[in-house]
Amino acid sequence: MEKTYDPRSIEQTLYQWWEERGDFQPRGDGDPFCIMIPPPNVTGSLHMGHAFQDTLMDALVRQHRMAGDRTLWQPGTDHAGIATQMVVERRLEGEGTDRHTLGRETFVEKVWEWKAESGGHITRQLRRLGASPDWSRERFTMDEGLSEAVTAVFVRLYNEGLIYRGKRLVNWDPVLQTAVSDLEVVSEEEAGHIWHMRYPVADGDDHLTVATTRPETMLGDTAVAVHPDDERYAHLVGRFVELPLVGRRIPVIADEYVDPEFGSGCVKITPAHDFNDAAVGERHGLPRLNVLTPGATIRDAFERVEPEVAGEVDAAAIETGAIPERYRGLDRYAAREALVADLDAAGLLASTEAHTLTVPRGDRSGAVIEPFLTDQWFVDLTRQTTADGRTGGHARITEPAINAVRDGDIRFVPGNWDRTYYNWLENIQDWCISRQLWWGHRIPAWYDAAGNVYVGHDEAAVRAENGLGDDVALTRDEDVLDTWFSSALWPFSTLGWPEETEDLATFYPTSVLVTGFDIIFFWVARMIMMGVYFMGDVPFREVYIHGLVRDAHGQKMSKSKGNVLDPIDLIDGIDADSLVEKRTYGLMQPEKAAAIERATREEFPDGIPAFGTDALRFTFAALASRGRDINFDLGRVQGYRNFCNKLWNAARFVLMNTEGADCGAAGGEVELSAADRWIISRLQATEAAVDEALAAYRFDHMAEAVYDFIWHEYCDWYLELAKVVLNDPEASEAARRGTRRTLVRVLETTLRLTHPLMPFITESIWQSVAPVAGIQGETIQYRPWPEPDPDRRDPEAEADLDWLQRVILGIRQIRSGMDIAPGKPLPVVLADGDATDRERVARHAPAIRGVARVESLTWLAEGEEQPEAATALVGDLKILVPMAGLIDRDAELARLDKAIEKADQDLGRARGKLENPNFVEKAPAEVVEKEREKVAEMENNLAGLREQRDRVARLAG
């Protein structure tokens, strides 16, 4: 082993060796264990969320491999429709062309070219993280097999009446001009206005005042709603108001959606431009009047869509009218300004007030998202029966997905997340699965000249199944499927479905899904729906939901905030200038660059040091608590980098004392010391704690158990106690052999226990340690997972070592309290105690002398006067360190006087805080209690200093 731990010298070499050997492929005849990687976007780079969850998955996978399970971690990437199309369009723009010039077929070819050149970036980064999926099985959601699965699912659902095309409201990005999912919408508070407008009552002198944050949508109003119990407007329900500036009459309706306490208690209803208004319109049978083009400009004429179900309102009585000419063709915001000015000029603008509102923006384009009425394809998730009498999507897809969790076929961890799952599914809407893009799975639907739609696997199948000759012209649907549609099939499509493959029979259902809570709706629920429907079984048995990684201050990491950390920068290090450049490059709001630079240089004045992969992975595990959010602190990474150094140096010590020496591998008498028996016993306890933590997905508890054992028990105590035996000339060869064997065997087992969290350092050390331990094999990855043996627990040894540790700690505390140099040997006098204490002192005297640096260890004779000494107690045993000759009396008195003066002043300030009624009455109770505890601790410390001064003062001058 090298003298110094250098992760750069081992990590990439080891990973390449593992991959070349095929170590990540399933092997053996054990129980199947399978995890599907949540496929990252092919355009993406590894972010902290990826690194966090992939570390946890890799830990599970590596542990199951060692446990002998036939383990598959299925990798792959998502084609990321919008993101990928944008990347390639930007590249084309730089080349002076665009997709419309190229045409669809050529553009798609360009995307595949880009994918071949640049699409593997994130998988290369995953390798740097030590992730060990079976790369030989890597899939891509647009590859041939997965594309076939997508088509098969669409065709079957359509043929069974569960996919339909209809005109519905969707989230619409007017820049990209496509429908987007809720996950692709970022909603943040922004400053805006709310306008109060007067709508005159038809055939009367009165008016109703309505409020809106989007005046341009008033052009499409088809009603004004009031609450059914609002007596102020009861006489107007059923009558009409005149829509200002447009001139058509719209009815006043009563609906419980209206909050009578908010504003005037009157709400304008625009079913074509607001999701809540659409629901109101559906209940009352209102027509929908679309006023916007796909690019969010005002249309030349209304697009009118009649209600699907008649209501109490006579839709025919609501005129369509015409859009006033002066607004036609205006951008939505220009139209807003014009409408507000015209309302004001007409005396119909009651007031305008500043208002903070939540604005939805497309996460890719930054454009404000519009609820937009457009023809889209949907999966039916809400109907009990279809129009032709067949069982509908709610009964066939939604309810079985709910029951899969409710009946215990799937378990959420932590369990409270099932409520989130139920809440979404019990209030679900039909799923919009079409996108107006060119990159993606093109919808397998064709239209004839009359607008009839035909769905099939390909055009040839459509013609054959429907008796359409070559003389019938067919045009394929332009839209592609939502990326989440193909992702919903991931657990079975990646295993070969629709073919009945051996992999599908072996690994489906998969074992566990590891994911964040933010995609329970978009991905988890839909995988369950599709898995139960098409496979007849759930896609996974457990769903482990982890928190989201935030920065050290609890802020969400985002490019716009300038607080993103790149996991590769934590592994390799980055200087301050490069970090600033990375954080400020390509900002959507360049004016933020200066503030981001200031904050970055303040937090990372010297950049970020290279911590290596294992320290980063261990940090992720240690932070993986049950909380919703994880605040990532670089200080923790530095601490675990020190932990790696500690393990490395411990291994070097063990090898220096065992390589070439008799460690009992060939037999021979072995005598185990109490310390040997103790560390073996503590190892069993640690193994049990790790198993318990893994079973509960408490990676933080696993990391804590491993850390405490290695740092505190193995390194801090056992190695020190082992030195005593190895350096004792009177120790028998059997005792030395026993200690050497214990040193190397416990280290080898500990490396296996730690390997899932820190694969590189454990593999590197293990390859040196294994031969010394008499173990054959080339890699730690397939060594057996350590299993705790209750018969090797040794309560007697643990009690013995607990006593010894308390004695040594007592001596160390005296040394520290008296400010005696760590290397100065101390005389120790023992008093009181019982027969067990005397027996233990006699047996452990070499350890006490060696570890606590004691020059003499004597018992106070009966009747002998106790010397002036510093004292520590271990039960009834009194440990005395005589002070005479150990310290400079005058210098120590001067030191203590200064310490007492400072402690007294600090205590006075703290007491003053508690005596201040403003603080006690106004501060939170927990803050006040913490201050009281602080004062109590300071009082104890001050009393201890004064007692120590009294003892020193009694010494002869």
Side-chain angles (χ1 to χ4, degrees):
M1 283 179 64
E2 294 294 328
K3 183 177 180 181
T4 304
Y5 167 58
D6 177 15
R8 281 172 293 197
S9 68
I10 63 173
E11 290 179 354
Q12 295 191 56
T13 303
L14 277 176
Y15 194 93
Q16 185 177 353
W17 180 69
W18 288 334
E19 191 172 354
E20 288 172 352
R21 285 164 40 89
D23 283 339
F24 306 151
Q25 297 173 13
R27 63 173 66 180
D29 300 319
D31 293 337
F33 178 84
C34 180
I35 293 182
M36 292 284 160
I37 197 169
N41 287 356
V42 69
T43 57
S45 294
L46 192 72
H47 59 59
M48 294 294 278
H50 291 135
F52 176 58
Q53 74 173 14
D54 290 328
T55 293
L56 305 186
M57 282 186 278
D58 194 55
L60 290 171
V61 164
R62 288 180 180 274
Q63 188 271 331
H64 278 273
R65 282 196 194 109
M66 298 174 80
D69 293 335
R70 184 168 174 76
T71 301
L72 170 63
W73 187 11
Q74 174 64 53
T77 50
D78 189 281
H79 64 278
I82 292 176
T84 305
Q85 181 158 318
M86 286 184 70
V87 166
V88 177
E89 286 199 70
R90 279 198 294 266
R91 173 186 274 199
L92 293 176
E93 187 180 342
E95 296 172 358
T97 186
D98 59 38
R99 66 183 170 105
H100 299 289
T101 302
L102 294 178
R104 183 168 192 149
E105 188 175 330
T106 305
F107 174 76
V108 171
E109 288 175 2
K110 290 286 187 183
V111 180
W112 279 108
E113 288 174 12
W114 173 88
K115 195 262 180 187
E117 294 170 14
S118 308
H121 179 62
I122 195 164
T123 58
R124 289 190 292 273
Q125 290 180 310
L126 281 170
R127 288 170 166 88
R128 292 296 315 280
L129 190 68
S132 61
D134 182 359
W135 294 112
S136 69
R137 297 168 179 257
E138 184 178 354
R139 303 303 300 267
F140 178 52
T141 49
M142 286 281 287
D143 70 30
E144 186 177 350
L146 269 61
S147 296
E148 168 58 26
V150 168
T151 301
V153 165
F154 186 97
V155 171
R156 180 171 157 189
L157 289 175
Y158 178 82
N159 288 338
E160 294 177 0
L162 300 175
I163 280 182
Y164 66 92
R165 191 166 188 262
K167 195 175 283 289
R168 296 286 184 90
L169 271 190
V170 296
N171 290 321
W172 184 263
D173 188 315
V175 170
L176 301 178
Q177 297 200 15
T178 179
V180 294
S181 72
D182 289 345
L183 195 64
E184 293 155 332
V185 177
V186 178
S187 295
E188 293 184 349
E189 288 190 345
E190 297 182 16
H193 293 87
I194 189 166
W195 290 270
H196 299 267
M197 306 177 294
R198 300 187 182 99
Y199 283 24
V201 177
D203 306 321
D205 298 328
D206 203 357
H207 67 266
L208 294 180
T209 300
V210 299
T212 184
T213 57
R214 298 159 65 215
E216 64 278 10
T217 64
M218 68 168 287
L219 297 170
D221 287 358
T222 56
V224 171
V226 298
H227 193 276
D229 299 331
D230 195 332
E231 295 179 358
R232 294 174 296 175
Y233 306 115
H235 65 290
L236 293 176
V237 173
R239 293 176 61 184
F240 287 80
V241 295
E242 289 196 9
L243 185 60
L245 308 179
V246 180
R248 55 186 168 79
R249 301 186 346 148
I250 58 176
V252 179
I253 61 174
D255 194 280
E256 291 186 348
Y257 162 68
V258 180
D259 179 1
E261 303 298 323
F262 183 77
S264 66
C266 302
V267 178
K268 62 188 283 297
I269 302 299
T270 320
H273 294 283
D274 183 274
F275 289 103
N276 291 318
D277 291 3
V280 173
E282 201 172 304
R283 287 194 289 273
H284 294 270
L286 299 174
R288 293 167 284 174
L289 299 180
N290 181 19
V291 305
L292 292 177
T293 66
T297 61
I298 304 299
R299 295 171 60 91
D300 289 339
F302 291 112
E303 178 190 19
R304 179 173 177 133
V305 180
E306 298 300 337
E308 295 177 5
V309 180
E312 84 273 9
V313 173
D314 180 6
I318 301 176
E319 300 174 355
T320 301
I323 296 176
E325 188 173 350
R326 65 165 305 198
Y327 308 128
R328 298 174 194 171
L330 292 180
D331 173 78
R332 53 184 163 168
Y333 299 117
R336 177 181 297 181
E337 289 183 16
L339 280 159
V340 169
D342 291 349
L343 285 166
D344 193 20
L348 296 175
L349 184 65
S351 62
T352 302
E353 59 183 277
H355 179 67
T356 300
L357 63 159
T358 301
V359 177
R361 291 184 179 273
D363 67 345
R364 300 291 176 183
S365 68
V368 174
I369 298 297
E370 283 288 344
F372 187 63
L373 192 63
T374 178
D375 288 306
Q376 301 288 345
W377 290 89
F378 295 86
V379 177
D380 168 29
L381 301 173
T382 58
R383 295 178 293 182
Q384 288 297 332
T385 56
T386 62
D388 58 7
R390 287 181 288 178
T391 305
H394 194 273
R396 299 186 68 185
I397 300 176
T398 306
E399 289 174 17
I402 293 172
N403 293 335
V405 176
R406 189 160 281 152
D407 295 344
D409 296 326
I410 295 174
R411 180 174 75 102
F412 276 87
V413 181
N416 58 293
W417 287 111
D418 61 6
R419 293 196 294 274
T420 302
Y421 176 80
Y422 294 141
N423 183 63
W424 187 68
L425 283 174
E426 288 166 357
N427 296 279
I428 200 166
Q429 301 296 313
D430 288 352
W431 175 14
C432 176
I433 56 171
S434 47
R435 297 291 182 266
Q436 289 62 56
L437 303 170
W438 285 1
W439 172 244
H441 297 102
R442 195 166 177 182
I443 288 174
W446 285 259
Y447 304 90
D448 62 19
N452 297 310
V453 62
Y454 306 95
V455 169
H457 284 81
D458 52 37
E459 185 176 338
V462 163
R463 291 184 181 277
E465 291 163 8
N466 295 279
L468 302 174
D470 291 341
D471 58 322
V472 178
L474 293 178
T475 304
R476 188 167 185 175
D477 196 300
E478 292 286 328
D479 291 352
V480 300
L481 286 163
D482 176 15
T483 299
W484 293 103
F485 189 86
S486 52
S487 297
L489 319 182
W490 189 249
F492 54 91
S493 64
T494 52
L495 297 174
W497 189 92
E499 301 298 323
E500 294 182 4
T501 64
E502 183 182 342
D503 283 345
L504 198 60
T506 302
F507 294 113
Y508 190 95
T510 66
S511 306
V512 60
L513 176 72
V514 178
T515 189
F517 63 81
D518 54 332
I519 55 173
I520 289 177
F521 316 134
F522 302 100
W523 193 44
V524 178
R526 288 166 179 167
M527 282 192 289
I528 296 172
M529 290 175 180
M530 295 296 106
V532 172
Y533 190 85
F534 286 96
M535 296 296 297
D537 203 349
V538 296
F540 26 73
R541 297 300 183 194
E542 294 182 311
V543 181
Y544 169 60
I545 302 292
H546 59 71
L548 300 186
V549 181
R550 297 180 178 270
D551 71 10
H553 311 290
Q555 296 294 310
K556 183 177 180 180
M557 291 189 188
S558 70
K559 178 72 175 176
S560 62
K561 287 189 173 76
N563 61 348
V564 170
L565 289 172
D566 182 340
I568 303 302
D569 290 341
L570 300 180
I571 292 171
D572 292 340
I574 186 171
D575 62 76
D577 290 342
S578 299
L579 181 60
V580 167
E581 183 180 357
K582 179 179 282 193
R583 286 184 161 189
T584 54
Y585 176 77
L587 288 172
M588 289 182 68
Q589 296 170 285
E591 66 273 13
K592 291 185 175 181
I596 289 172
E597 177 170 0
R598 280 196 304 273
T600 299
R601 291 194 184 279
E602 183 177 338
E603 189 170 3
F604 306 105
D606 301 315
I608 297 173
F611 295 115
T613 299
D614 287 320
L616 177 61
R617 287 173 58 114
F618 203 88
T619 305
F620 283 134
L623 291 172
S625 66
R626 288 284 178 88
R628 189 180 177 98
D629 294 321
I630 293 142
N631 293 354
F632 192 85
D633 179 6
L634 237 58
R636 296 287 292 271
V637 195
Q638 181 61 63
Y640 294 126
R641 177 64 167 78
N642 296 340
F643 176 55
C644 292
N645 286 340
K646 186 95 166 178
L647 178 58
W648 187 269
N649 292 334
R652 290 189 69 251
F653 168 81
V654 170
L655 290 172
M656 282 190 291
N657 284 278
T658 56
E659 274 186 307
D662 182 359
C663 297
E669 183 185 354
V670 169
E671 179 185 321
L672 297 182
S673 69
D676 296 332
R677 290 163 44 219
W678 169 77
I679 197 65
I680 292 168
S681 181
R682 294 307 306 147
L683 179 59
Q684 310 314 306
T686 303
E687 290 170 2
V690 167
D691 280 352
E692 182 180 343
L694 276 171
Y697 300 102
R698 291 306 302 262
F699 298 93
D700 53 337
H701 290 177
M702 177 187 183
E704 181 182 20
V706 166
Y707 181 92
D708 284 347
F709 179 78
I710 292 175
W711 190 292
H712 300 299
E713 296 183 321
Y714 188 76
C715 294
D716 283 358
W717 284 106
Y718 180 65
L719 294 189
E720 295 304 310
L721 294 168
K723 290 177 189 176
V724 174
V725 175
L726 297 176
N727 296 332
D728 185 355
E730 297 181 10
S732 67
E733 185 53 39
R736 288 196 184 92
R737 185 181 296 117
T739 293
R740 284 194 292 263
R741 189 181 78 173
T742 304
L743 273 169
V744 74
R745 283 189 176 182
V746 170
L747 176 59
E748 192 275 337
T749 304
T750 303
L751 291 171
R752 286 186 277 136
L753 200 62
T754 310
H755 177 72
L757 299 182
M758 299 199 299
F760 293 114
I761 190 173
T762 51
E763 177 76 272
S764 181
I765 295 173
W766 184 88
Q767 291 185 5
S768 296
V769 167
V772 181
I775 292 169
Q776 303 298 314
E778 295 181 322
T779 175
I780 193 174
Q781 296 177 100
Y782 286 96
R783 283 288 298 152
W785 177 250
E787 294 184 6
D789 182 353
D791 293 337
R792 302 188 76 190
R793 289 298 301 268
D794 193 331
E796 182 182 337
E798 293 201 32
D800 232 19
L801 264 290
D802 175 69
W803 176 90
L804 177 59
Q805 288 168 349
R806 286 188 290 142
V807 168
I808 292 171
L809 288 173
I811 296 169
R812 286 175 175 171
Q813 285 163 2
I814 291 171
R815 183 189 296 277
S816 172
M818 298 298 294
D819 199 27
I820 300 169
K824 185 177 178 64
L826 299 178
V828 172
V829 177
L830 303 171
D832 301 336
D834 57 17
T836 301
D837 290 322
R838 288 180 176 268
E839 185 275 329
R840 281 173 167 165
V841 168
R843 189 154 40 88
H844 293 298
I848 296 171
R849 289 193 183 96
V851 178
R853 297 196 66 80
V854 170
E855 66 177 5
S856 61
L857 192 61
T858 59
W859 284 91
L860 193 68
E862 189 175 346
E864 183 180 353
E865 185 178 350
Q866 180 175 312
E868 199 62 54
T871 308
L873 289 174
V874 176
D876 293 330
L877 177 65
K878 191 178 289 183
I879 301 168
L880 308 170
V881 175
M883 291 186 287
L886 280 179
I887 59 172
D888 181 328
R889 176 180 179 276
D890 293 338
E892 182 64 8
L893 286 174
R895 185 186 75 81
L896 288 169
D897 283 340
K898 282 184 181 178
I900 288 167
E901 182 182 3
K902 183 178 184 306
D904 200 28
Q905 290 171 352
D906 292 344
L907 178 59
R909 281 192 292 272
R911 281 174 173 165
K913 203 171 183 181
L914 285 176
E915 289 165 2
N916 181 349
N918 284 333
F919 171 74
V920 175
E921 292 167 11
K922 294 180 181 178
E926 62 271 18
V927 173
V928 176
E929 182 57 34
K930 193 171 182 180
E931 201 64 26
R932 288 197 176 105
E933 290 172 2
K934 180 178 167 185
V935 166
E937 184 180 344
M938 293 170 81
E939 288 172 342
N940 288 336
N941 289 342
L942 183 58
L945 286 169
R946 284 175 173 156
E947 183 183 338
Q948 189 173 333
R949 191 195 186 286
D950 290 343
R951 286 199 302 270
V952 173
R954 287 195 292 269
L955 292 173

